[in-house]
């Protein structure tokens, strides 16, 4: 016998029906009653009171399935309802969160009263759909609904959460006109509304002119002061509450401890007083008070004290766990063990049977991102899916960061796409993920989509996009982002200024970068580091060192990134003694351990100065002899000084470490070729062919307007190719008038410069980017072009910027 299989949804429906039959029978069946035959027991009949009791029970249990079954039963038996029963049914849908069904029922009600309107208004308010709350109130007013205190309270709550001060003031006027302004419920709602709308002065005015107040009135105003960061006003109000005999409860003390989370001594002293008061009135172990104390300790960096307090708490709920987990993953970590302890607290929550909230998951994901813990992060993601919270925007941002930090950018993008409400934090996380994975074009494309969606980027979004523009060296797009930051007022934020400096510097405009730095009042270590490194990359070694000394005079302590910029400046400027002194100072005066990049800079510095044996000895004693980066620095110096034997030995070491990287083979080939060792050079080329190593083709590009024009050597694919070659030959003829020996070639950077000479205004500098190091012949030609054409040429290669003006280069031929 064949049986038709049931789907999962059908099985769930049948189970719900069976459960509902038992539920209804438990209320209606007398002792000894046998359930009638039939699928739902629809032979039963109930009166208004029975249906009302059943619906109220469903509401209290928040059991929407049972409530809907009762509603179906009423429809099935064609029961004639009343306004009272319709309101009970409406209240059930609202309290169970099914506002669509509630509004449908409301629209079909033949008779409505004030309770009907209040139920639906309250329902929308409960689930945070405050815009619908206000819209429903205005609709009711147009239909001559006469609001009462509960109506006004619900609408004021909506105005408060939306920050709609104009609507709030209008409701206040209606409250006064209606003669219910003296009721304490509305007093409290008005205080809360004005405080959340930022008009704490009006909130205080309401409290001062009210005759009937309770603890909630004072707590609402106190919470408003704390939320707005008015610490002294918070302390003053708390003292006033005590003097007037207002009963101080856990919420008031919790607000005070939040205010004390600041760093001032005054806050610390008042916090001690408040703690003593909590002990005196027996509230020191209150959950709200303890939670606020934990928050205060964690924000002040007293992690050990917070953990001790947490362990002493007799009652630990989800909110307290959330406070601990979030605080342990804050921006300023005291120890590296804090995120691990946060993860252990999450495990403890699960063992105790507590249900994590959205905030729990977003905080614990932050812990995973701090420790770059991908395995625990995947387990947390599974828990998120189990609780069906993957659409939350804060959790989505944490998941995007998790996968982006671990190089799984496509998985991060899937998390972004599955987020129901993509707020600016989600967009910024995804843009930052693309930048982190060096997919800069996709970062810019996503930023464009953000603008099209109507979202407003914040300072972190703009900073990430500027970083993408910096790495792409697209100054035009970067300037547009800069303009937007100025228009929105984010240009003064330090995080934007830092990215702005990098963006202009990496696009070849060091003057604009210096201007951005000088116009900023609030410098941090990153700002100084950005400008010092930018000057170093552009060959202005003295400017870098002057800025470094100035930074120390201002009291800033240099970090390893700043020292890398200083060492780079010394290397590019040939300042051997200054570089060695800075390297020693880094270890001796600031207790900073040099990494491979610091050692590579010193090796390059020694090598350029001709001290090749000392450079090689430094590599062998540095502890980084297995890193090819440091050997590459020495190989470049070997070519500079023509040390063929050492170059062969160094190149062999590099190819052992990275056998399939072409740059070392190419450099060794050039060393042999320059030394006249054609046979050895051919051997290098044959070895590359045997290993399948291909030379990276040289590519140069110039941005003119919105278009990127790219060239390879002897490239004729450009639409203006004929004119470009004609212009280049004209430029070469101009140089030959002053120079007898000119090496003629059609390398990619020459073609890009020729196009710039043709198209750009005479006053505009020509900025060209190249993926490979510029050759000596082209470097010489750029100097000559800058003199004969009287144009500034900026050429960026992988190592540095070359700024050619008046026949000379900013590198002073030392690169």
């Amino acid at each position: 016998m064949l049986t038709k299989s049931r789907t999962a949804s059908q099985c769930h429906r049948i189970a719900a029906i069976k459960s509902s039959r038992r539920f209804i029978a438990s209320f209606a069946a007398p002792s000894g009653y046998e359930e009638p035959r039939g699928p739902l027991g629809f032979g039963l009949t109930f009166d208004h009171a029975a249906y009302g009791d059943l619906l109220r029970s469903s509401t209290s249990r928040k059991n929407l399935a049972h409530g809907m079954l009762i509603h179906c039963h009423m429809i099935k038996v064609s029961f004639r309802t009343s306004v009272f029963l319709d309101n009970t049914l409406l209240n059930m849908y609202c309290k169970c969160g099914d506002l669509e069904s509630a509004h449908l029922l409301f629209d079909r009600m033949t008779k409505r009263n004030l309770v009907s309107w209040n139920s639906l208004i309250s329902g929308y308010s409960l689930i945070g759909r405050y815009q619908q709350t206000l819209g429903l109130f205005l609709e009711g007013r147009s239909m001559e609904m006469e609001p009462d205190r509960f109506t006004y309270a619900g609408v004021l709550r909506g105005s408060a959460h939306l920050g709609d001060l104009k609507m709030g003031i209008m409701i206040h006027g209606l409250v006064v006109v209606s003669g219910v302004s003296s009721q304490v419920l509305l007093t409290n709602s008005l205080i809360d509304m004005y405080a959340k709308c930022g008009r704490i002065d009006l909130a205080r005015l309401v409290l001062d002119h009210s005759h009937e107040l309770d603890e909630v009135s004072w707590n609402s105003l106190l919470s408003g002061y704390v939320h707005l960061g008015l610490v002294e006003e918070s302390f003053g109000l708390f003292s006033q509450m005590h003097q007037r005999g207002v009963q101080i409860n856990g919420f008031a003390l919790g607000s005070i401890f939040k205010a004390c989370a600041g760093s001032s001594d005054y806050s610390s002293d008042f916090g001690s007083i408040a703690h003593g008061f909590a002990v005196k009135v027996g509230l020191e172990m209150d959950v709200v008070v303890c939670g606020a104390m934990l928050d205060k300790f964690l924000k002040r960096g007293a992690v050990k004290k917070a953990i001790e307090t947490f362990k002493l708490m007799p009652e630990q709920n989800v909110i307290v766990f959330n406070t601990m987990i979030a605080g342990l993953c804050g921006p300023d970590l005291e120890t590296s063990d804090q995120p691990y302890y946060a993860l252990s607290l999450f495990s403890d929550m699960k063992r105790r049977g507590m249900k994590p909230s959205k905030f729990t998951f977003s905080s614990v994901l932050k812990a995973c991102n701090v420790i770059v813990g991908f395995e625990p992060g995947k387990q947390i993601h599974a828990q998120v899916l189990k609780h069906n919270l993957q659409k939350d925007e804060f959790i989505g941002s944490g998941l995007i960061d998790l996968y982006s930090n671990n190089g799984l950018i496509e998985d991060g993008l899937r998390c972004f796409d599955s987020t129901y409400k993509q707020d600016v934090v989600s967009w910024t996380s995804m843009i930052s993920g693309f930048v982190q994975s060096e997919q800069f074009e996709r970062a810019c494309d996503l930023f464009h989509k953000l603008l099209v969606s109507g979202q407003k980027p914040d300072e972190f979004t703009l900073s990430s996009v500027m970083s993408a523009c910096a790495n792409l060296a697209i100054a035009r797009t970067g300037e547009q982002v800069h303009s937007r930051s100025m228009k929105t007022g984010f240009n003064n934020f330090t995080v934007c200024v830092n990215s702005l400096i990098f963006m202009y510097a990496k696009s070849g405009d060091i003057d604009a970068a210096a201007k951005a730095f000088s116009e900023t009042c609030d410098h941090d270590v990153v700002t100084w580091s950005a400008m010092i490194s930018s000057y170093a990359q552009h060959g202005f070694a003295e400017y870098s060192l002057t800025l470094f000394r100035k930074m120390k005079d201002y009291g800033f302590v240099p970090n390893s990134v700043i020292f890398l910029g200083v060492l780079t400046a010394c290397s590019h400027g040939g300042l051997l003694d200054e570089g060695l002194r800075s390297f020693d100072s880094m270890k001796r005066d600031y207790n900073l351990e040099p990494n491979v990049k610091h050692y590579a800079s010193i090796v390059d510095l020694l090598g350029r100065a001709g001290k090749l044996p000392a450079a090689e000895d430094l590599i062998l004693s540095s502890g980084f002899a297995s890193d090819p980066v440091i050997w590459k620095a020495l190989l470049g110096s070997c070519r500079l000084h023509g040390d063929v034997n050492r170059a062969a030995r160094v190149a062999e070491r590099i190819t052992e470490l990275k056998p399939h990287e072409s740059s070392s083979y190419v450099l060794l080939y050039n060393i042999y070729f320059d030394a006249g060792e054609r046979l050895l050079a051919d051997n290098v080329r044959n070895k590359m062919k045997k290993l399948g190593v291909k030379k990276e083709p040289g590519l140069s590009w110039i941005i003119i307007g919105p278009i990127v024009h790219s060239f390879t050597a002897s490239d004729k694919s450009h639409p203006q190719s004929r004119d470009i070659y004609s212009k280049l030959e004209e430029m070469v003829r101009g140089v030959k008038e002053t120079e007898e020996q000119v090496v003629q070639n059609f390398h990619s950077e020459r073609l890009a410069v020729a196009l710039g000479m043709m198209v750009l205004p005479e006053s505009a500098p020509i900025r060209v980017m190249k993926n490979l190091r510029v050759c000596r012949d082209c470097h010489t030609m750029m100097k000559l072009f800058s003199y004969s054409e009287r144009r500034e040429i900026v050429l960026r290669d992988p190592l540095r910027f070359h700024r050619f003006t008046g026949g000379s280069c900013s590198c002073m031929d030392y690169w």
Side-chain angles (χ1 to χ4, degrees):
M1 180 179 176
L2 294 174
T3 58
K4 187 178 180 180
S5 62
R6 294 188 177 106
T7 64
S9 60
Q10 288 173 329
C11 293
H12 285 307
R13 194 178 298 115
I14 291 169
I17 288 170
K18 290 179 178 179
S19 175
S20 300
R21 289 173 61 195
R22 291 191 296 271
F23 175 75
I24 293 175
S26 68
F27 286 94
S31 177
Y33 172 77
E34 266 192 35
E35 186 179 354
R37 296 180 183 276
L40 290 175
F42 278 143
L44 293 172
T45 58
F46 302 103
D47 57 10
H48 280 79
Y51 278 126
D53 288 341
L54 290 169
L55 288 169
R56 279 188 289 274
S57 179
S58 300
T59 304
S60 64
R61 298 183 185 189
K62 296 229 178 340
N63 195 324
L64 179 62
H66 290 162
M68 292 179 74
L69 192 63
I70 296 163
H71 191 187
C72 291
H73 190 279
M74 293 165 63
I75 296 170
K76 181 76 174 178
V77 301
S78 301
F79 188 80
R80 295 186 66 180
T81 64
S82 62
V83 177
F84 173 79
L85 194 57
D86 282 342
N87 286 340
T88 306
L89 189 58
L90 183 66
N91 184 56
M92 183 276 296
Y93 280 120
C94 290
K95 292 291 175 60
C96 291
D98 188 357
L99 267 296
E100 284 71 21
S101 298
H103 209 136
L104 190 63
L105 173 66
F106 179 82
D107 290 338
R108 293 181 178 179
M109 288 172 64
T110 55
K111 289 184 179 180
R112 304 173 189 155
N113 59 13
L114 186 57
V115 175
S116 314
W117 289 96
N118 284 351
S119 295
L120 197 56
I121 288 172
S122 175
Y124 277 123
S125 183
L126 282 173
I127 64 170
R129 292 169 65 174
Y130 301 111
Q131 204 67 55
Q132 285 87 341
T133 300
L134 301 185
L136 199 62
F137 173 76
L138 295 175
E139 182 186 345
R141 288 284 297 166
S142 67
M143 299 178 68
E144 298 184 353
M145 173 194 71
E146 295 184 3
D148 63 2
R149 56 177 179 161
F150 300 108
T151 321
Y152 288 129
V155 182
L156 283 169
R157 189 184 306 117
S159 300
H161 284 278
L162 290 173
D164 192 341
L165 180 62
K166 188 177 180 180
M167 175 64 80
I169 292 172
M170 186 193 79
I171 304 299
H172 191 179
L174 290 172
V175 167
V176 174
V177 171
S178 302
V180 291
S181 58
S182 61
Q183 298 196 24
V184 69
L185 172 65
L186 293 177
T187 298
N188 298 342
S189 297
L190 286 166
I191 292 171
D192 181 63
M193 183 274 294
Y194 282 123
K196 285 180 178 173
C197 289
R199 291 302 303 273
I200 197 70
D201 55 329
L202 295 179
R204 181 66 199 235
L205 204 62
V206 171
L207 183 132
D208 290 339
H209 288 80
S210 297
H211 300 292
E212 187 179 349
L213 300 170
D214 60 8
E215 292 87 359
V216 178
S217 314
W218 293 92
N219 288 344
S220 298
L221 185 61
L222 181 60
S223 177
Y225 278 134
V226 173
H227 180 71
L228 294 172
L230 303 172
V231 178
E232 292 190 15
E233 288 82 352
S234 303
F235 296 158
L237 184 66
F238 183 80
S239 301
Q240 190 179 354
M241 290 170 64
H242 181 57
Q243 291 166 4
R244 292 198 179 187
V246 179
Q247 185 176 355
I248 306 295
N249 56 23
F251 295 102
L253 284 167
S255 295
I256 283 299
F257 284 123
K258 283 184 182 178
C260 293
S263 58
S264 68
D265 294 334
Y266 180 55
S267 297
S268 179
D269 294 340
F270 204 93
S272 300
I273 295 170
H275 189 193
F277 184 86
V279 173
K280 182 179 178 181
V281 297
L283 290 173
E284 74 276 13
M285 289 292 110
D286 180 83
V287 176
V288 177
V289 173
C290 286
M293 287 175 62
L294 291 177
D295 184 59
K296 184 192 81 167
F297 290 145
L298 291 167
K299 285 181 177 176
R300 284 171 157 259
V303 177
K304 290 183 179 178
K305 204 167 186 179
I307 294 173
E308 290 171 3
T309 305
F310 174 77
K311 290 179 178 178
L312 290 172
M313 290 179 64
E315 183 182 350
Q316 297 166 341
N317 60 11
V318 174
I319 297 173
V320 172
F321 271 95
N322 286 351
T323 303
M324 283 296 295
I325 292 170
L328 290 167
C329 304
D332 300 318
L333 297 180
E334 233 185 30
T335 66
S336 58
D337 296 333
Q338 288 176 212
Y340 293 97
Y341 188 64
L343 291 174
S344 70
L345 287 178
F346 177 76
S347 300
D348 193 19
M349 281 182 69
K350 298 292 293 180
R351 279 194 298 270
R352 297 188 188 192
M354 294 182 180
K355 184 179 179 181
S357 65
K358 295 177 183 179
F359 187 76
T360 315
F361 283 116
S362 63
S363 299
V364 80
L365 281 170
K366 192 182 294 183
C368 295
N369 290 326
V370 169
I371 63 173
V372 197
F374 188 48
E375 287 304 318
K378 287 195 296 184
Q379 294 173 24
I380 301 299
H381 191 183
Q383 290 288 325
V384 167
L385 293 170
K386 182 180 177 181
H387 289 81
N388 196 29
L389 295 173
Q390 66 273 15
K391 294 183 178 180
D392 179 75
E393 61 268 28
F394 297 105
I395 293 174
S397 299
L399 290 171
I400 292 166
D401 291 338
L402 173 71
Y403 287 105
S404 299
N405 291 342
N406 289 278
L408 300 171
I409 192 65
E410 297 304 326
D411 290 325
L413 185 60
R414 277 192 282 272
C415 292
F416 173 76
D417 290 335
S418 67
T419 304
Y420 179 73
K421 182 184 176 184
Q422 294 171 340
D423 63 356
V424 67
V425 179
S426 307
W427 285 93
T428 303
S429 295
M430 196 65 246
I431 291 170
S432 178
F434 280 136
V435 173
Q436 190 175 338
S437 62
E438 297 185 358
Q439 299 187 36
F440 307 116
E441 295 90 345
R442 295 180 75 181
C444 293
D445 289 342
L446 191 63
F447 177 68
H448 178 69
K449 290 178 182 177
L450 180 149
L451 298 178
V452 171
S453 73
Q455 290 272 6
K456 294 182 179 179
D458 62 11
E459 66 271 26
F460 300 105
T461 320
L462 296 172
S463 173
S464 295
V465 178
M466 286 181 193
S467 297
C469 294
N471 285 282
L472 291 171
I474 45 176
R476 183 180 176 85
T477 305
E479 286 169 353
Q480 293 173 346
V481 178
H482 183 194
S483 298
R484 187 175 186 91
S485 72
M486 294 179 69
K487 183 179 178 181
T488 53
F490 290 128
N491 59 307
N492 292 322
F493 282 76
T494 307
V495 66
C496 280
V497 173
N498 297 342
S499 297
L500 190 65
I501 293 170
F502 278 121
M503 187 272 292
Y504 278 122
K506 288 188 175 182
S507 299
D509 195 346
I510 190 64
D511 294 329
K515 184 179 179 183
F517 177 83
S518 62
E519 290 179 349
T520 305
C521 300
D522 188 16
H523 295 137
D524 64 3
V525 174
V526 180
T527 316
W528 290 97
S529 174
M531 200 63 237
I532 290 169
S533 300
S534 297
Y535 275 137
Q537 290 296 325
H538 280 262
F540 298 107
E542 289 297 337
Y543 285 2
S544 282
L545 297 177
T546 300
L547 206 60
F548 177 62
R549 288 188 285 268
K550 189 176 180 181
M551 183 203 75
K552 291 193 290 184
D553 291 340
Y554 275 100
F556 286 92
V557 178
N559 57 22
S560 59
V561 178
I562 289 177
F563 270 109
L564 180 60
V566 170
L567 295 176
T568 302
C570 294
S571 174
H572 288 175
L575 305 175
L576 178 62
D577 294 337
E578 183 68 33
L580 293 175
R581 277 197 298 270
S582 298
F583 187 69
D584 290 337
S585 173
M586 175 185 177
K587 296 183 289 184
R588 183 185 64 252
D589 301 331
Y590 298 98
N591 199 27
L592 294 171
E593 194 63 33
N595 59 32
V596 65
K597 291 183 179 179
H598 297 100
Y599 275 104
S601 295
I602 293 298
V603 168
D604 185 63
L605 183 61
L606 290 168
R608 288 175 186 273
K611 300 181 180 296
L612 298 179
E616 189 171 1
D617 291 342
L618 180 63
I619 292 174
L620 297 172
S621 63
S622 67
F624 297 105
S626 60
D627 196 311
V629 171
I630 200 167
W631 288 104
K632 283 182 185 179
L634 181 58
L635 185 59
S637 299
C638 291
R639 183 190 181 189
L640 182 67
H641 295 285
D643 192 336
V644 177
N645 294 329
R646 194 183 304 274
R649 187 170 66 251
V650 171
E652 184 179 354
R653 177 63 173 152
I654 296 173
T655 53
E656 286 175 2
L657 296 170
K658 279 201 170 183
H660 296 286
E661 190 173 273
S662 64
S663 59
S664 302
Y665 292 100
V666 173
L667 191 55
L668 182 60
Y669 173 86
N670 290 332
I671 292 172
Y672 284 142
F673 190 87
D674 292 344
E677 301 285 352
R678 298 297 176 88
L679 182 61
L680 293 174
D682 290 338
N683 288 340
V684 173
R685 178 172 286 178
N686 293 333
K687 186 177 180 181
M688 289 177 69
K689 289 180 180 179
K690 184 179 178 180
L691 294 172
V693 179
K694 294 184 179 180
K695 177 188 174 184
E696 182 182 0
L699 180 70
S700 297
W701 64 95
I702 182 171
I703 302 172
I704 300 174
I707 302 173
V708 179
H709 302 265
S710 58
F711 300 89
T712 56
S714 302
D715 193 346
K716 294 186 179 181
S717 62
H718 196 277
Q720 295 175 273
S721 179
R722 184 176 296 178
D723 296 333
I724 291 171
Y725 278 86
S726 296
K727 180 63 179 177
L728 182 57
E729 289 172 2
E730 177 190 323
M731 291 162 57
V732 171
R733 283 196 300 270
V735 168
K736 285 182 176 178
E737 293 178 1
T738 57
E739 296 289 326
E740 293 183 1
Q741 292 184 344
V742 174
V743 178
Q744 174 73 335
N745 62 46
F746 298 104
H747 284 183
S748 57
E749 57 265 51
R750 298 193 187 193
L751 299 175
V753 168
L755 176 63
M757 294 284 187
M758 286 169 46
V759 178
L760 292 173
E762 291 186 4
S763 59
I766 296 168
R767 297 190 178 96
V768 175
M769 313 297 162
K770 187 174 182 180
N771 66 331
L772 300 179
R773 188 175 179 180
V774 61
C775 70
R776 292 178 182 175
D777 295 333
C778 287
H779 188 270
T780 301
M781 285 301 294
M782 293 302 159
K783 290 194 297 181
L784 297 173
F785 285 157
S786 71
Y787 178 78
S788 62
E789 299 292 327
R790 297 181 180 177
R791 298 289 291 272
E792 179 185 343
I793 301 171
V794 179
L795 176 61
R796 189 186 85 172
D797 66 16
L799 298 179
R800 64 180 300 158
F801 281 87
H802 299 269
R803 190 178 188 178
F804 302 95
T805 53
S808 62
C809 179
S810 59
C811 72
M812 297 177 293
D813 297 335
Y814 191 89
W815 93 100

